[in-house]
Amino acid sequence: MIDSKNKKIQILHIIPYGNLYPPMNGGQLRCFHLMDQLSKYFEIDVLSYQSPNSFLDRGYENENITFYSPNSFVKNESVFKYLPKKTKNALRYRWLTKTIFESATQEVLEFEHVIEKLHKENTYNWVVFEHLSAMSLIPIIKQYFPKAKYVLDAHNVDHLLIKPTSVNSKYYKKTRKLESTLFKHVHEFWACSKNDVDILEQLNANKIRGKVVPNGVDIHTKSYVEHKSDTYSTILFCGTLDASPNKEGILWFYNNVWSIVKANKPNIKLLVVGKGDKRPFRDLELDPQIDVIGEVDDVAPYYRESFIAIVPLLSGSGTRLKILEAMSFGNPIVTTSKGIEGIEYEIGTHALVANNIEDFSSNIIQILNAPNIGEELRINAYKLVKNKYDWSIIVNNLIEEYEI
């Protein structure tokens, strides 16, 4: 175990979000909690699009983290400032990255001058890139911090989330190519599940190694609800509605499972909570027993006023933060194998898992008919997240694995 007061290692953490705190979605939650927990062991400089002052204004203060945004320093655009914006950006990007054919990226154009300033005062041991988009800064990072260890935090296997069409085939190929050449750019990667680690290692012909850094939950803010007997007739779906796997999953549930559940439990109610376009869910909004709530500032009240949490995902990768969140709040879970992928669970102990219409509906009805089954599931699930998936435990395990 590292002495948290011995912060010899410096980390540059590149998190390309405009709103990192307070974290509102799965990606933001993962980035924020990794950053927050790593700061207990190391000194961290964070690059994000969010104004440094706004972290303090919104209630987050951490003496071991210094935040920087593109506005932290004045950008010197030299001769490029006299050119039209599109031309200026294209030429400036090529000059900064020493490339000819690559398209300009926002990260390079916005953060290069910040990285240059930081180089004058810091020598980073690690540079952690959140998402593939942050890796566009690697040519700049290599110029200023060539001796640092580069780590990609891969939230998903991104190319698997893209359904190739004539419209996005170029983006799909570019994403897959980048994921298959990680070994050329970073020293290692973190992924949310063993399955994602295996896929990315195989894509790279085993020329790079990955570590499983599972998603977690803050059990203190997502606190367990002791008594839920007055919520037994309410089901909850919580997730970003614009995310393709979420949209696919909730529509599959509505079109195939919902009518079966209603026929068995006429008084059942469904809450759908999440940021995104509601238009694909108009049929759900017409159902008087479904409340498509949309984006909320705080999901906690909806977990408290519901019982069963459904995660009917059919595709995607990574680990579902919504599963861990539901476990921490104390909601029994009915999900698919894909929905609970990346979590070390036991079927029937921590969740009910089904991959077809009949079994999925049967699992929900089973809990509705016998709430004691749901009570046992939620108690066991909370013990699981408390002992294995709290963010402090996850990062502590990561640090111990490095034996720093």
Side-chain angles (χ1 to χ4, degrees), residues 247-315:
K247 181 167 70 173
E248 176 189 44
I250 192 61
L251 291 177
W252 172 83
F253 174 82
Y254 172 74
N255 291 324
N256 298 284
V257 178
W258 180 236
S259 60
I260 300 174
V261 174
K262 281 205 302 182
N264 282 268
K265 288 291 179 181
N267 66 332
I268 197 68
K269 183 178 180 181
L270 172 65
L271 306 179
V272 178
V273 175
K275 178 182 178 180
D277 185 0
K278 289 186 179 183
R279 286 176 295 180
F281 309 100
R282 283 174 177 163
D283 288 345
L284 281 74
E285 290 185 296
L286 295 174
D287 189 319
Q289 291 173 247
I290 300 178
D291 190 355
V292 182
I293 296 164
E295 184 177 6
V296 298
D297 292 331
D298 184 8
V299 298
Y302 301 95
Y303 278 104
R304 294 189 186 108
E305 67 184 64
S306 62
F307 193 55
I308 299 172
I310 58 167
V311 187
L313 299 191
L314 309 175
S315 61

Side-chain angles (χ1 to χ4, degrees), residues 189-206:
F189 66 88
W190 300 337
C192 301
S193 69
K194 179 64 165 60
N195 185 55
D196 283 5
V197 167
D198 291 343
I199 291 171
L200 289 172
E201 286 184 347
Q202 290 169 15
L203 273 175
N204 286 268
N206 293 314

